[in-house]
Amino acid sequence: MVRKLRAVSQGASVPHRKNTSGQSTERMPVPKQVTLMMQQHIGAPAKPVVKKGDEVLVGQMVGEAGGFVSSPVYSGVSGKVKALEQVVAANGALVEAVVIETDGQQTLSGDVAVPQVHNRESFLEAVRACGLVGLGGAGFPTAVKLSPKELDKIDILLINGAECEPYITSDEQEILENSGDILSGIAAVQKYLGIERAVIGIERNKPEAMDLLFSLTKGKAGIEVHPLPSKYPQGAEKVLIEQVTGRQVPAGGLPSDVGVIVLNVTTAGTLGRYLSTGMPLVTKRLTVDGGAVAQPKNVEVILGTSVAEVIEFCGGYKEPPGKLLMGGPMMGVALPGDGYPVMKQNNAILALSAAEAALPEEGPCIRCGRCIASCPMSLSPTETEEAYKNRDLDRLKKLNADVCIACGVCSYVCPAKRYVSQHANLARGYLLKEVAKERGKS
């Protein structure tokens, strides 16, 4: 049995480093070329619906959803399809991609039109057509999330505005710049899914954004703002749910199992814009920061733009980067180079300096228990590490290794700087794989 969460006391007080807080979003110029990966979400990859030589327009679909748990991909530029090719994703997998040479005209597709929504079915179809996925980093197709098996048991729509990772301020800027879109997106979900109560969770280290939300929701029935302690990983779904509602998602369960649907605040804002404009998801706001970046900024980027061009827009590198990340320093994905294209679920690009990226020397475990005391899922990372090294499957099951959310807190708080987080993540993957094999044999 999973030990009870204590999200209020667990986690870590990581440095905020919100260097771009309050900086207005700058829009990047249209790039000469975009590479649109067909796997920009959890689930089945999209299937290209264009071929080499085709002319495409802004807002035109170039990849249709490959199944129920999937999402369409749209072009944010007008131009000509240069190639359909295989691109190596950050996880090493080969992913099909559509490469488009832009013409600089930004001609709008005639397919872009305000969706006609009049009931739940047409609302969910609009969410699918938007190409919307979780924009906080997970990339789960939003239409699937809004289609729980037992909708009548959902009584809370929880909006995640925590943004607890260091450096990242893209969600904060969404609140400051597009609060009307956020509220209209929330209202639409409440209306068409019949959810009476909406709660916006936001960390207290964003006072201007928090005050704005309080002022906009004051006196409004069915929506409230819940200030959160500035403690990582406050934005993790299960931690957020327990912090705001007191409910605990069971091991292997979903938020819907405890009557909650969670949406990232930028996801809600993007939905609100789509319902009023008909423009699908073709751009993304990114926080660009790190010790190797000349001019940290919040930037609106056309999906498929290379990381190199984004960095160049921010003044380039002031020193060779020690590490490139998509996302934050705690849970972000390391990139092999800056030729990688921006995707839907990216909320930051961090170019860390060599000093910032340097790994500390790993020391021996001193049995202090800090990793256990700080784990937001109440796990035992050191025991998990040992069981994984021994490939002790039964022990990993008893330790609930599959419950790990890969937040990195255990390594962060470790005085010996042990790589327990990496081993815990490997253990989770190993356990899930072996359990799947067992089910396949049964």
Side-chain angles (χ1 to χ4, degrees):
M1 179 180 292
V2 178
R3 282 166 283 185
K4 298 196 83 176
L5 300 177
R6 300 191 306 278
V8 174
S9 60
Q10 293 179 235
S13 297
V14 300
H16 297 161
R17 297 179 183 170
K18 305 286 189 178
N19 303 314
T20 57
S21 180
Q23 287 191 21
S24 298
T25 305
E26 297 183 33
R27 181 174 294 182
M28 269 191 67
V30 178
K32 294 181 179 179
Q33 177 178 294
V34 295
T35 301
L36 294 168
M37 298 177 71
M38 295 293 102
Q39 185 79 66
Q40 300 191 44
H41 50 266
I42 291 173
K47 300 176 181 177
V49 293
V50 293
K51 61 183 183 300
K52 183 178 179 179
D54 283 355
E55 299 286 342
V56 296
L57 304 174
V58 176
Q60 178 181 331
M61 182 188 294
V62 296
E64 64 182 3
F68 178 66
V69 184
S70 187
S71 181
V73 177
Y74 296 88
S75 174
V77 299
S78 59
K80 182 179 290 187
V81 177
K82 178 182 178 181
L84 271 67
E85 60 185 31
Q86 297 285 312
V87 175
V88 179
N91 64 0
L94 285 175
V95 177
E96 196 164 15
V98 175
V99 182
I100 303 170
E101 283 188 334
T102 62
D103 58 18
Q105 300 301 307
Q106 289 302 89
T107 307
L108 190 65
S109 169
D111 296 334
V112 176
V114 176
Q116 300 302 306
V117 177
H118 50 273
N119 57 22
R120 183 179 301 160
E121 289 70 28
S122 58
F123 171 68
L124 291 174
E125 181 52 42
V127 178
R128 289 189 196 94
C130 176
L132 191 56
V133 303
L135 301 181
F140 192 79
T142 305
V144 180
K145 181 175 280 192
L146 297 180
S147 305
K149 292 181 179 179
E150 298 179 287
L151 180 59
D152 58 317
K153 293 186 178 181
I154 304 297
D155 62 349
I156 296 177
L157 172 63
L158 181 53
I159 305 301
N160 189 348
E163 199 164 47
C164 56
E165 282 252 19
Y167 293 102
I168 308 176
T169 64
S170 53
D171 282 346
E172 179 184 9
Q173 284 308 119
E174 177 71 15
I175 296 170
L176 294 173
E177 298 173 1
N178 300 309
S179 56
D181 293 330
I182 294 169
L183 295 181
S184 64
I186 293 171
V189 175
Q190 288 186 274
K191 176 180 178 179
Y192 293 110
L193 269 62
I195 304 173
E196 293 186 0
R197 184 185 177 201
V199 183
I200 305 173
I202 180 171
E203 283 193 330
R204 296 181 185 274
N205 64 351
K206 306 168 186 61
E208 186 180 356
M210 187 170 62
D211 289 348
L212 176 61
L213 290 173
F214 268 119
S215 66
L216 293 173
T217 58
K218 185 178 180 180
K220 287 191 174 183
I223 185 168
E224 61 195 83
V225 179
H226 188 107
L228 300 166
S230 299
K231 198 168 189 179
Y232 178 84
Q234 198 67 246
E237 263 192 350
K238 293 179 180 180
V239 176
L240 183 68
I241 290 169
E242 193 214 6
Q243 178 72 62
V244 174
T245 71
R247 303 172 188 179
Q248 295 183 12
V249 179
L254 298 171
S256 57
D257 295 330
V258 294
V260 181
I261 288 177
V262 182
L263 291 182
N264 168 264
V265 69
T266 299
T267 304
T270 302
L271 175 58
R273 283 190 290 281
Y274 177 69
L275 293 176
S276 64
T277 66
M279 178 59 72
L281 178 57
V282 295
T283 66
K284 189 68 171 65
R285 180 191 294 101
L286 304 172
T287 296
V288 185
D289 204 343
V293 176
Q295 301 167 17
K297 295 180 179 182
N298 283 308
V299 184
E300 184 180 357
V301 180
I302 294 174
L303 296 176
T305 303
S306 72
V307 169
E309 289 181 85
V310 177
I311 296 290
E312 186 61 30
F313 181 73
C314 295
Y317 299 114
K318 62 182 181 182
E319 65 175 84
K323 180 175 287 186
L324 284 173
L325 293 174
M326 275 190 165
M330 301 298 289
M331 295 184 73
V333 177
L335 298 178
D338 58 14
Y340 199 74
V342 172
M343 299 194 297
K344 294 179 183 181
Q345 66 270 48
N346 299 148
N347 55 6
I349 295 172
L350 300 184
L352 303 179
S353 66
E356 291 171 326
L359 289 175
E361 184 176 348
E362 189 178 22
C365 177
I366 61 173
R367 306 297 185 204
C368 66
R370 291 184 189 178
C371 58
I372 299 172
S374 300
C375 176
M377 305 309 294
S378 297
L379 303 178
S380 180
T382 50
E383 289 183 277
T384 299
E385 177 184 2
E386 183 179 357
Y388 170 68
K389 288 180 177 178
N390 294 325
R391 298 300 190 270
D392 188 339
L393 189 59
D394 290 336
R395 183 65 177 152
L396 288 172
K397 289 178 181 178
K398 291 177 181 178
L399 290 168
N400 303 299
D402 57 329
V403 176
C404 174
I405 60 173
C407 65
V409 164
C410 50
S411 287
Y412 180 81
V413 301
C414 177
K417 303 305 178 186
R418 293 180 58 77
Y419 305 153
V420 281
S421 176
Q422 290 90 328
H423 285 109
N425 203 17
L426 289 169
R428 178 180 182 274
Y430 170 73
L431 175 56
L432 291 174
K433 183 178 179 180
E434 293 303 311
V435 168
K437 285 181 182 178
E438 290 178 350
R439 289 174 179 169
K441 293 177 182 178
S442 62

